[in-house]
Amino acid sequence: MSSTLIRNGRVITASDDYVADVLMRDGVVRAIGTALEVGPDVKVVDATDLYVLPGGVDTHVHMENVIGPTITCDTFASGTKAAAFGGTTTVVDFALQTAQDSVLGAIARAQRSAEPQVNIDYSLHCIVTRVDAQVLADTRHAMRHEGVTSFKMFMAYPGVMMADDAAIFQMLRQVGADGGMVALHAENGTVIDLLIKEALEAGHTSPRYHAMTRPAIMEGEATHRGIRLAELANAPIYFVHVSSNQALKHIVAARDEGIPVFAETCPHYLLFDDSVYSSDDFEIAKYVMTPPLRTPDDQKHLWRALRYDDLQVIATDHCPFCMKEGHLGYRLQKQRGKDDFSLIPNGAPGIETRLASLFDIGVMQGKLSLNRFVELTSTTPAKLFGLFPKKGTIAVGSDADVVLFDPAATQTIRAKDLHSNCDYTLLEGRTLRGKVEKVFLRGELIVDGPDWHGREGMGRFVPRGEVRAF
Ligand code: DUC
Ligand code: ZN
Ligand code: ZN
């Protein structure tokens, strides 16, 4: 296998910041030092004035996820290519247990789709929608033998994805005891469904009512309930897509009590606020994601929590649906909800812009240190989901997943330049400071400026281990 030396870059991990050379051989980092001497067989890449970052780890993405009659519009191929261009080298997607499917069947099905397509390394959480003795046995098997150590459950979407409190408690108890993690979508689904029904009966059909029927207080209530279930189960818990201070205040209180509660937020909650929901225009369907965007005051609390470690991860919840019906042949996308906001598929794209947007609004605006930026986007997600230290850092023996990032470059984001199948980006026209220049996956150059050198199928499934968070 080829060897590459990254010469004279500024290596930034969650804990370090120094100028050095990084030698990559046989897919892993072999040496880090100054003025490393190498033979003529080693390719040398000059990284002077560039940051050398561990490849991003995005633990919340949806590729080819079937959601009701709809499917997210990125394939494993397009979504992982977009991730790579954005500096992400590992994603954790979802296998969905359906009424007909077992946990193990769902994992095998997702792997069959992903394997020939993935351009970067990947793993899977399994979404569990019902719990019985077989599901618990399969869950244990998946953890021990399939490398799937996290399970997502929903407190929202009654009749579709929602699991009741007893089911969530059973999973927390077993998965926690076995060293894994339950990730929870925390919103009070039955109350929200009532609010949606009442809004539609009152003739409120436009997209902004999506936000008005999913109030933050119902995210807070479910978060509190999830914490108490985890406390009783003596298990760690991870809250996905935390958007509001209503949720955050329970997370902060629980962590202060010593309960192992972890949580992510997503770039869109930091970049945009609920002022976008101010008209009945259907364009607002772009911002129909769950939970919806919150107030500037919520944003202030999210930043505080990111800074002081009450939020540990920034993942994208990349859940793309096209605005234009039929784009690339995708049907039943956002336009499905033209006359009824509750039919708009919930989600927005973001996988390619995560690092650059957070560098711009976080690091450049003085809200996050460089080390914290790496910790939130790579190291801690790797630790929480059993990928560390193979992923999430630059260290001797770790996978040579490396991003060369130019802090002095700027870029203006346009959907047409991105690599997702989605026909829009929430950042259209926005100029960001900072740019991914080169990306190495296990030592292989896959992104070089605008050029693509990756191959579908070169990504590998990464079996995950236990939670390493406390
Ligand atoms: N929750 C997610 O995590 N992703 C998309 C939609 C949702 O409700
Ligand atoms: Zn969710
Ligand atoms: Zn999601």
Side-chain angles (χ1 to χ4, degrees):
M1 241 200 175
S2 68
S3 303
T4 303
L5 182 80
I6 298 171
R7 178 79 83 199
N8 203 34
R10 184 169 159 193
V11 179
I12 297 159
T13 67
S15 55
D16 298 308
D17 185 342
Y18 52 86
V19 173
D21 303 339
V22 178
L23 178 66
M24 308 184 287
R25 178 177 294 143
D26 297 338
V28 298
V29 174
R30 287 286 171 204
I32 303 173
T34 46
L36 290 182
E37 289 186 16
V38 291
D41 58 316
V42 177
K43 189 168 182 313
V44 177
V45 175
D46 181 20
T48 305
D49 297 331
L50 299 180
Y51 295 162
V52 182
L53 310 175
V57 176
D58 192 343
T59 48
H60 191 160
V61 305
H62 301 269
M63 267 50 117
E64 299 184 23
N65 282 195
V66 177
I67 300 177
T70 317
I71 185 165
T72 53
C73 69
D74 268 318
T75 60
F76 283 102
S78 64
T80 55
K81 186 173 179 181
F85 271 100
T88 289
T89 48
T90 307
V91 288
V92 187
D93 205 304
F94 295 92
L96 172 64
Q97 173 213 33
T98 61
Q100 305 79 35
D101 224 348
S102 65
V103 163
L104 298 177
I107 293 168
R109 183 160 43 88
Q111 281 176 324
R112 271 197 305 277
S113 303
E115 284 302 313
Q117 297 192 61
V118 278
N119 290 291
I120 58 171
D121 288 355
Y122 82 104
S123 188
L124 297 164
H125 311 282
C126 187
I127 295 176
V128 172
T129 51
R130 74 192 141 74
V131 176
D132 57 25
Q134 186 62 50
V135 169
L136 290 170
D138 284 0
T139 296
R140 182 155 279 160
H141 181 96
M143 284 198 58
R144 289 192 182 156
H145 305 290
E146 305 296 334
V148 173
T149 54
S150 51
F151 299 85
K152 182 175 176 189
M153 300 185 81
F154 286 81
M155 298 173 115
Y157 307 123
V160 191
M161 311 276 251
M162 191 173 101
D164 65 23
D165 293 350
I168 294 167
F169 172 70
Q170 279 180 291
M171 284 291 287
L172 279 163
R173 190 168 55 183
Q174 179 181 299
V175 171
D178 288 353
M181 186 74 95
V182 171
L184 208 54
H185 172 131
E187 281 187 309
N188 185 316
T190 55
V191 171
I192 286 171
D193 270 16
L194 175 74
L195 297 179
I196 292 171
K197 183 167 156 284
E198 288 175 351
L200 290 171
E201 282 168 2
H204 299 145
T205 59
S206 75
R208 72 190 176 108
Y209 289 96
H210 169 78
M212 295 169 73
T213 53
R214 305 192 90 90
I217 192 169
M218 289 294 94
E219 184 187 0
E221 182 280 326
T223 304
H224 176 261
R225 193 159 25 107
I227 289 168
R228 298 283 81 96
L229 296 174
E231 185 181 19
L232 186 65
N234 194 25
I237 189 166
Y238 179 89
F239 290 97
V240 294
H241 51 46
V242 170
S243 66
S244 66
N245 192 40
Q246 285 280 354
L248 214 41
K249 67 185 183 191
H250 296 294
I251 292 167
V252 173
R255 287 176 63 81
D256 287 348
E257 289 169 40
I259 302 169
V261 175
F262 305 96
E264 77 184 19
T265 191
C266 311
H268 41 260
Y269 300 119
L270 302 167
L271 284 157
F272 309 100
D273 62 45
D274 61 355
S275 59
V276 305
Y277 303 123
S278 57
S279 83
D280 287 314
D281 195 334
F282 190 73
E283 278 294 295
I284 287 171
K286 288 178 179 170
Y287 299 95
V288 169
M289 73 278 286
T290 297
L293 302 171
R294 304 299 192 188
T295 66
D297 187 59
D298 287 300
Q299 278 184 334
K300 195 180 76 196
H301 287 285
L302 293 177
W303 282 115
R304 177 183 52 78
L306 287 167
R307 221 176 152 122
Y308 297 115
D309 206 36
D310 285 315
L311 288 168
Q312 298 78 34
V313 173
I314 306 178
T316 57
D317 195 3
H318 177 77
C319 191
F321 299 102
C322 298
M323 279 297 283
K324 191 161 156 279
E325 188 68 2
H327 178 74
L328 298 179
Y330 283 100
R331 306 254 159 234
L332 295 172
Q333 302 270 294
K334 293 283 188 183
Q335 297 294 330
R336 183 166 173 261
K338 196 111 194 67
D339 303 312
D340 174 349
F341 71 88
S342 72
L343 300 179
I344 301 171
N346 293 188
I351 203 163
E352 195 166 339
T353 48
R354 181 177 66 137
L355 293 189
S357 64
L358 292 172
F359 180 78
D360 185 70
I361 62 166
V363 178
M364 294 303 279
Q365 292 191 20
K367 294 192 173 104
L368 299 175
S369 71
L370 271 172
N371 298 117
R372 186 73 182 139
F373 167 66
V374 170
E375 191 169 35
L376 288 162
T377 56
S378 179
T379 314
T380 303
K383 286 183 177 175
L384 284 175
F385 291 105
L387 292 159
F388 186 86
K390 186 178 172 63
K391 306 293 186 187
T393 193
I394 296 177
V396 173
S398 292
D399 279 1
D401 298 341
V402 176
V403 173
L404 302 190
F405 189 88
D406 185 351
T410 58
Q411 56 180 323
T412 299
I413 304 297
R414 307 264 176 222
K416 69 175 178 46
D417 301 328
L418 299 178
H419 299 83
S420 163
N421 282 344
C422 197
D423 60 349
Y424 76 95
T425 163
L426 297 177
L427 291 163
E428 187 70 33
R430 189 148 169 169
T431 298
L432 300 177
R433 290 163 294 178
K435 193 170 188 304
V436 170
E437 283 302 334
K438 287 187 186 353
V439 178
F440 297 86
L441 176 73
R442 283 179 274 102
E444 245 189 273
L445 182 69
I446 58 171
V447 171
D448 189 4
D451 299 329
W452 177 240
H453 299 287
R455 298 177 306 284
E456 290 178 15
M458 76 181 288
R460 291 186 193 151
F461 178 76
V462 188
R464 291 182 289 120
E466 293 193 356
V467 171
R468 302 251 315 244
F470 47 87

